[in-house]
Amino acid sequence: MTEIKPIRTEGDYQQAMTLLKTLWGAETGTPEGDRLDLLVTLIDIYESARHPIDLPDPVDAILFRMEQQGLTRRDLEPVLGSRGRVAEILNRKRPLSLEMIRRLNAELDIPAEVLIQPIRPAKSAA
């Protein structure tokens, strides 16, 4: 039985991932299931520290939420302002104001930490 130990290096991480494959599917409450739970926790801590996931771009987050909720640009007008303002924001021509961030957070439940990120410039067509 392979020993479970702290993950400090990429080598340790690779060994943990190999062990994870052998333990995957173990039943909860069994010794193998307990080892799996422990290993998953260690892997999660290592990945969070070494491979953090960047927050999404605010416009991408708004578009994603619109798609999830079946919203149109017109549906955003009460939250962001006029039709032109909605277009400017979704076309990455205008940053979000603090008040817009508050409304998007309250109305669409988009995390404020996502909305305060700088809007990435539009990708140019090549």
Side-chain angles (χ1 to χ4, degrees), residues 2-20 35-51:
T2 305
E3 179 185 6
I4 294 179
K5 59 183 185 168
I7 302 171
R8 295 186 180 102
T9 66
E10 279 297 313
D12 293 342
Y13 176 71
Q14 292 306 320
Q15 288 177 346
M17 294 302 288
T18 300
L19 181 56
L20 178 71
R35 292 182 79 227
L36 176 62
D37 288 344
L38 188 62
L39 187 61
V40 167
T41 301
L42 291 171
I43 289 171
D44 184 50
I45 291 167
Y46 180 82
E47 287 178 343
S48 295
R50 301 290 161 90
H51 307 287

Side-chain angles (χ1 to χ4, degrees), residues 5-118:
K5 59 183 185 168
I7 302 171
R8 295 186 180 102
T9 66
E10 279 297 313
D12 293 342
Y13 176 71
Q14 292 306 320
Q15 288 177 346
M17 294 302 288
T18 300
L19 181 56
L20 178 71
K21 291 176 188 173
T22 64
L23 293 173
W24 196 253
E27 289 189 41
T28 303
T30 64
E32 292 81 16
D34 291 346
R35 292 182 79 227
L36 176 62
D37 288 344
L38 188 62
L39 187 61
V40 167
T41 301
L42 291 171
I43 289 171
D44 184 50
I45 291 167
Y46 180 82
E47 287 178 343
S48 295
R50 301 290 161 90
H51 307 287
I53 298 173
D54 290 336
L55 292 173
D57 173 74
V59 173
D60 292 340
I62 294 167
L63 293 170
F64 178 73
R65 187 55 49 97
M66 288 173 66
E67 183 180 325
Q68 278 185 319
Q69 296 181 359
L71 301 174
T72 64
R73 287 178 174 229
R74 175 168 271 167
D75 296 323
L76 291 183
E77 289 175 20
V79 178
L80 298 176
S82 68
R83 180 177 167 193
R85 173 106 1 111
V86 171
E88 288 175 334
I89 290 166
L90 295 182
N91 291 326
R92 302 169 186 278
K93 305 276 189 224
R94 175 191 274 286
L96 294 169
S97 70
L98 182 58
E99 188 56 35
M100 290 175 191
I101 290 169
R102 287 180 178 139
R103 282 190 244 133
L104 286 164
N105 175 255
E107 301 287 327
L108 300 183
D109 199 29
I110 300 172
E113 56 269 14
V114 170
L115 295 169
I116 63 172
Q117 301 299 307

